[in-house]
Amino acid sequence: MGRPTIEDVAARAGVSRALVSLVMRGSPKVSDQRRAAVLKAAEELGYSPHAMARSLASRTSHVLGVMVSDLHNPFWAEVVDGVDSYARSAGFELVINTGGRRPTRERQALTGLLSFRPAGIALLGPVLPAASIAAAAVHTPVVLVSRSSRQPSVDTVNDDGQAGSGMAVDHLVSLGHKEIAHIDGGGGSQAAPRRTGYLAAMRRHGLTPRVVRGEYTEAAGTRAIRDLLASAPPTAVMAANDLNAVGAISALEAAGLAVPADVSVVGYDNTWLAALRHVSLTTIDQPRAEMGRLAAEALVQRVRGERKDPARHLLRPRLVIRATTDAPR
């Protein structure tokens, strides 16, 4: 037997197809007795309405699209948890895909999401051109997480990356470090504010900055440490994110250096990875679930016509001190 249809449910319950459709949409225009009969028939048949078909039939979508730039970064999994929690409480379902941190793939992913005719789309850490984002916002509400925008039709949710980097540098300086290097996130989302914050904090303390270009991956952290060790090694490293930091720690230990006895390391994001006992990474915390919740809330507000002005959420990060930082020898 194939997948049960709305017609099968109607026949089992002894009602019209239209009445089954009303029940599935949660319409108050159905009596309790008939609603119970339809739900009982649907349960017996194992029927569940297809979200896209339901949207096309009602001309009202209950689907939110989510594009994750990098599925390998645990930070985004925690943001998606926040999006999903709020979306479900508001009666929406998610369709998720990824762009693999490449503009071409992200454009394809965005086009794919738009084909579902979603009520709105959340772009998590996109590296898409601003023009592509603006074009999508013509068709449906769009919110960016960890990406800024000046488009009035696009909402944004960010942490204050400059402040977060400043906290990391201040912490290392308070321990006595002066040779502090930064592995930056290259062209990744919010890498520029974090780099700017590092540079400003180093100048404020009268220290010479040392930036090694990278990206938001563990491999980039490993490569950056190899480059740093080829000359005079720093006593501390501020990594662009937790994945960078884990790669950096691995490379330092492979080179025979102890963390934090020889080199202190600070990450950024405070993902579950940082809290693992054998990692115990000092890092800058972004409220991941809260960022996801705010992103979903911004979309739902737009969908329901509750707001027209752009939402610009800028959240305050915080320093979480664990075992990878200490005073220099």
Side-chain angles (χ1 to χ4, degrees):
M1 181 178 177
R3 177 174 173 166
T5 66
I6 193 170
E7 287 80 8
D8 296 329
V9 175
R12 173 69 68 94
V15 300
S16 69
R17 182 186 187 284
L19 191 138
V20 174
S21 180
L22 287 173
V23 171
M24 294 304 165
R25 296 204 304 267
S27 171
K29 298 179 181 179
V30 183
S31 69
D32 291 342
Q33 182 179 359
R34 287 192 167 188
R35 186 186 309 278
V38 169
L39 294 176
K40 182 173 183 292
E43 183 178 1
E44 290 172 350
L45 291 170
Y47 170 81
S48 60
H50 189 284
M52 187 175 176
R54 186 174 63 210
S55 297
L56 291 172
S58 65
R59 297 181 184 274
T60 302
S61 177
H62 295 278
V63 171
L64 297 180
V66 179
M67 190 203 72
V68 184
S69 180
D70 185 6
L71 284 179
H72 299 283
N73 189 340
F75 172 78
W76 296 119
E78 297 178 56
V79 173
V80 170
D81 277 345
V83 174
D84 182 62
S85 178
Y86 187 91
R88 288 183 181 278
S89 70
F92 291 83
E93 299 176 40
L94 301 186
V95 174
I96 303 174
N97 65 8
T98 183
R101 295 184 292 111
R102 298 202 297 270
T104 301
R105 276 196 59 187
E106 287 194 3
R107 274 193 290 267
Q108 294 170 348
L110 181 55
T111 299
L113 286 176
L114 288 170
S115 71
F116 283 89
R117 301 185 186 180
I121 291 178
L123 302 177
L124 311 186
V127 294
L128 279 164
S132 298
I133 295 170
V138 171
H139 303 285
T140 191
V142 172
V143 62
L144 308 180
V145 178
S146 291
R147 169 81 179 259
S148 299
S149 175
R150 295 180 180 178
Q151 288 288 334
S153 58
V154 176
D155 299 320
T156 60
V157 181
N158 291 293
D159 89 311
D160 189 338
Q162 292 190 39
S165 292
M167 293 174 189
V169 173
D170 289 347
H171 168 61
L172 293 169
V173 171
S174 73
L175 294 173
H177 291 278
K178 295 181 179 180
E179 300 295 328
I180 304 168
H182 174 46
I183 305 171
D184 85 349
S189 62
Q190 295 303 293
R194 295 177 193 181
R195 182 169 55 248
T196 299
Y198 161 80
L199 293 171
M202 292 292 282
R203 286 194 296 268
R204 178 162 36 86
H205 289 290
L207 302 176
T208 302
R210 188 176 177 188
V211 177
V212 181
R213 189 169 178 83
E215 57 182 352
Y216 288 143
T217 65
E218 186 176 346
T222 299
R223 288 193 300 269
I225 289 299
R226 289 172 182 164
D227 291 343
L228 286 169
L229 295 183
S231 55
T235 64
V237 171
M238 182 207 145
N241 71 352
D242 290 349
L243 287 177
N244 266 173
V246 169
I249 291 170
S250 178
L252 287 167
E253 291 178 344
L257 297 172
V259 176
D262 295 310
V263 181
S264 288
V265 178
V266 180
Y268 205 112
D269 288 342
N270 195 30
T271 59
W272 60 265
L273 185 64
L276 290 176
R277 185 175 179 181
H278 67 281
V279 178
S280 192
L281 178 67
T282 295
T283 187
I284 301 298
D285 177 76
Q286 294 191 78
R288 287 86 58 206
E290 175 68 2
M291 293 173 80
R293 187 193 70 78
L294 288 171
E297 181 183 51
L299 289 180
V300 171
Q301 288 173 343
R302 290 271 195 180
V303 170
R304 293 176 175 171
E306 298 172 356
R307 175 179 50 78
K308 292 184 178 180
D309 294 332
R312 298 283 183 257
H313 297 289
L314 185 65
L315 306 184
R316 180 75 175 176
R318 66 186 180 92
L319 173 69
V320 178
I321 301 173
R322 295 194 181 97
T324 59
T325 52
D326 202 352
R329 284 183 173 176

